[in-house]
Amino acid sequence: MTKDTAPEITRAWTKFVSNSAIDDGIVRAEVAASWQRCSAASVNPYHNGVSQLLLDQKQLKDLRAKKRSLLHIARLFMANLYRFVAGSGFIVMLSDEHGYILEVIGDRETMDIATQLNLRQGASWVEEEVGTNGIGTALATQKPVQISGAEHYCQKVHFWTCSAAPILDSQGKIMGVLQMSGPNWKTHEHTLGMVVAAVEAFKIQIRVHLKNRDLSLLNNRLKNVILTVSEGIIVLNKGGLIEQINPIAETILHQPEAEIKGNPITKYLGKSALIQEMLAEGKSFKSSEITTYTPKGSTNCLSSGKPIRDDKGDLSGGVLFINPIPQNKHCANRGNGAPAAFEFSAIIGVNKELQKGIELAKIAAASKSHVLIQGESGTGKEVFAQAIHNSSSRRNGPFVPINCGAIPRELIGSELFGYEGGAFTGAKSGGRPGKFELAAGGTLFLDEIGDMPLEQQVALLRVLQDKRVMRIGGYQSVLMDVRIICATNKNLREEVRKGNFRQDLFFRLNVLNISLPPLRERREDIPLLFRAFYKEICTKLGVDLLPVDSRVVTYLSQYHWPGNVRELQNVIERMVNLAQGQGIRPQHLPDEILLPDPSASQPERERFSDSAKRLNELNKVNTLTNDQDKLSIKKLLARNERQEIINKLLTCQGNISHTAKEMGISRNSLYKKLKKLEIPLR
């Protein structure tokens, strides 16, 4: 609007506020639309034009704190914009997206006028509050706008001109409004253009600020990740020089970051082809073995590397992740079977010799000494070894088993100690860690140690004495941190006497000796083992628990079990498969269990035979009772109870304590029932 059109727009304003008629030839479309919005909102055109909606001091303080970033950037642009109009009666102001003024810049005289109009911090200048104006109409239209003289809906500010432009974020959402205001007779036709240009520059600066903030946040997060991860991290430039490391890498390399930064990575990791390819060709690698060279010796580590590229996709360096093998439980378990699963609670039995072995094993778990477990095959030596490991201070480390009797003589050395690349024909180019290295920080279980060749016994003794391992074909030894548990089904003292086992190695290993009884010497545990294995096997095979003929446990208890607990498990699984959902019966037992045991002693056979005969006699007598005439309810209940107790006695081999426990009553209560129901024990 120019000075020449001022009287016309004033007449058009008077006409509209009188009868709501718009003079289309005079009033701009955006102004007409604003007047109509103000009229619909019942804004009084003769109102003093001063905002009555004002934030209190606390509300204003909270709002300015929330808009801290916006204000920080805006002040520079507001100051630059004001320099063009300083001393001319103009002010520059900034509002938020709701029309509340956040900041005002102007000279003293103009600021006095602004204060009279309530153009101050915390005041609201939306259309529905003060009518058509720069801030309010820019918010309503989301476009730059200039409102001059009588274009304002409220008469009080007809002497004023407002040039305003909304500030949009990267998603096109309004963040605020920048406005320059002053007397309408001093307004230049380019005033709005100046405001719009300032807003455009403002938006660019906001984008830069947000990117910098995001980068700063990202850098802080990455820094926190680098500082807290459990792996060593080394950041390299394209030339292979170390730019940054984390505290774990400092520990692995045994030097502070200040002494490491700037050095070539070859100083600590040698001339690794994998690292060279990563930096030269951008090839990633993972879980590869690398040896670190430090002031305190060398350490074998598992390493992964990823190239770093700039925004153009060009290689700018790489990052290495290193982890000493002693801490890498996952890889050790991954390459050597499942981790140790058994606890002491998994060992079933009440036999005195077995309980003695458990007590010794618990003592061994609390110790750091080597353990030797002796017992026939199938007695549960590895179960004990795993239970010791899981109750020891090394429970979080790997449990690595190796059967010394199942590996060819020529391979056992490489299995135990590992080898370097090219150490022998067929060796992997990158080498391979041995079981000692994989078990570092945990437990190495040497099963069937009595079958180890003499030449490897010498090497094992050397490792136990020096606590260092050297790979086959290697030149540097690595410090060993391994707890050794050995097991054998042989009499090692006898093997020493025969010259098959080194005496010095035997004495080194035989610190804590645990002897496990064969199953034939702990027959009282057979019913307990049967129940546990039966339930476990049914669950594994996905079948329901079936009724079990009481004679089955009797037969199982008489068998001599040359294969011990392992054989018992196999027999139970066989019966479950043969039963076909019809119940477990004696005919499902193998022939060798149904027939008398020729290897058992005569007194032993007679003892179990007599026990079975007595319980079966009772069963037979009770069955005859079932064929008698119909009994009273009371007698029928007594008969059923008598049958139940006889069945329990058969299952528990006549053991009163076990039978009472099975029935959930005390021994005294059971004795009373035996007497009442006339069930003889002898």
Side-chain angles (χ1 to χ4, degrees), residues 22-67:
I22 295 289
D23 191 336
D24 294 332
I26 301 299
V27 184
R28 292 181 293 146
E30 61 266 32
V31 174
S34 176
W35 285 358
Q36 289 170 338
R37 288 193 297 271
C38 295
S39 177
S42 301
V43 177
N44 184 358
Y46 300 103
H47 184 268
N48 61 12
V50 176
S51 172
Q52 300 300 312
L53 187 58
L54 186 69
L55 298 176
D56 62 31
Q57 289 300 313
K58 183 179 184 308
Q59 290 172 326
L60 177 61
K61 182 179 179 182
D62 291 343
L63 178 60
R64 286 173 61 83
K66 183 180 178 182
K67 298 294 182 178

Side-chain angles (χ1 to χ4, degrees), residues 536-557:
E536 178 185 312
I537 289 166
C538 286
T539 301
K540 182 182 77 171
L541 298 180
V543 300
D544 295 330
L545 287 170
L546 305 171
V548 179
D549 191 308
S550 58
R551 292 171 294 171
V552 169
V553 179
T554 302
Y555 280 114
L556 293 176
S557 298

Side-chain angles (χ1 to χ4, degrees), residues 13 52 98 209 237 264 288 332 403 439 442 444 453 529 556 575 644:
W13 175 84
Q52 300 300 312
H98 301 296
H209 174 76
N237 66 15
S288 298
N403 190 320
L444 178 61
L529 291 167
L556 293 176
M575 288 193 293
E644 181 184 357

Side-chain angles (χ1 to χ4, degrees), residues 236-279:
L236 308 175
N237 66 15
K238 190 175 181 180
L241 298 181
I242 299 172
E243 292 188 336
Q244 184 181 1
I245 67 171
N246 70 341
I248 300 298
E250 288 182 300
T251 302
I252 294 171
L253 300 180
H254 298 291
Q255 277 187 309
E257 184 181 23
E259 295 181 19
I260 294 174
K261 284 177 66 173
N263 286 319
I265 190 62
T266 53
K267 178 178 179 180
Y268 301 97
L269 300 184
K271 294 182 178 180
S272 168
L274 293 171
I275 296 176
Q276 290 175 2
E277 287 180 357
M278 177 187 72
L279 295 175

Side-chain angles (χ1 to χ4, degrees), residues 87-153:
S88 62
F90 277 80
I91 60 173
V92 179
M93 66 190 73
L94 175 76
S95 80
D96 73 349
E97 69 273 24
H98 301 296
Y100 287 103
I101 297 176
L102 297 171
E103 190 73 271
V104 182
I105 298 177
D107 57 41
R108 179 177 297 180
E109 182 181 348
T110 309
M111 290 296 288
D112 288 341
I113 298 173
T115 302
Q116 293 174 21
L117 297 175
N118 216 14
L119 284 167
R120 57 176 173 168
Q121 292 179 10
S124 173
W125 276 78
V126 291
E127 284 185 339
E128 55 266 33
E129 177 64 22
V130 291
T132 307
N133 71 92
I135 290 174
T137 305
L139 286 173
T141 62
Q142 299 191 19
K143 294 179 181 179
V145 66
Q146 187 175 72
I147 305 298
S148 184
E151 288 181 331
H152 289 88
Y153 188 73

Side-chain angles (χ1 to χ4, degrees), residues 6-25:
E8 294 179 353
I9 194 67
T10 301
R11 286 193 294 272
W13 175 84
T14 303
K15 181 179 178 180
F16 179 80
V17 298
S18 299
N19 56 26
S20 299
I22 295 289
D23 191 336
D24 294 332

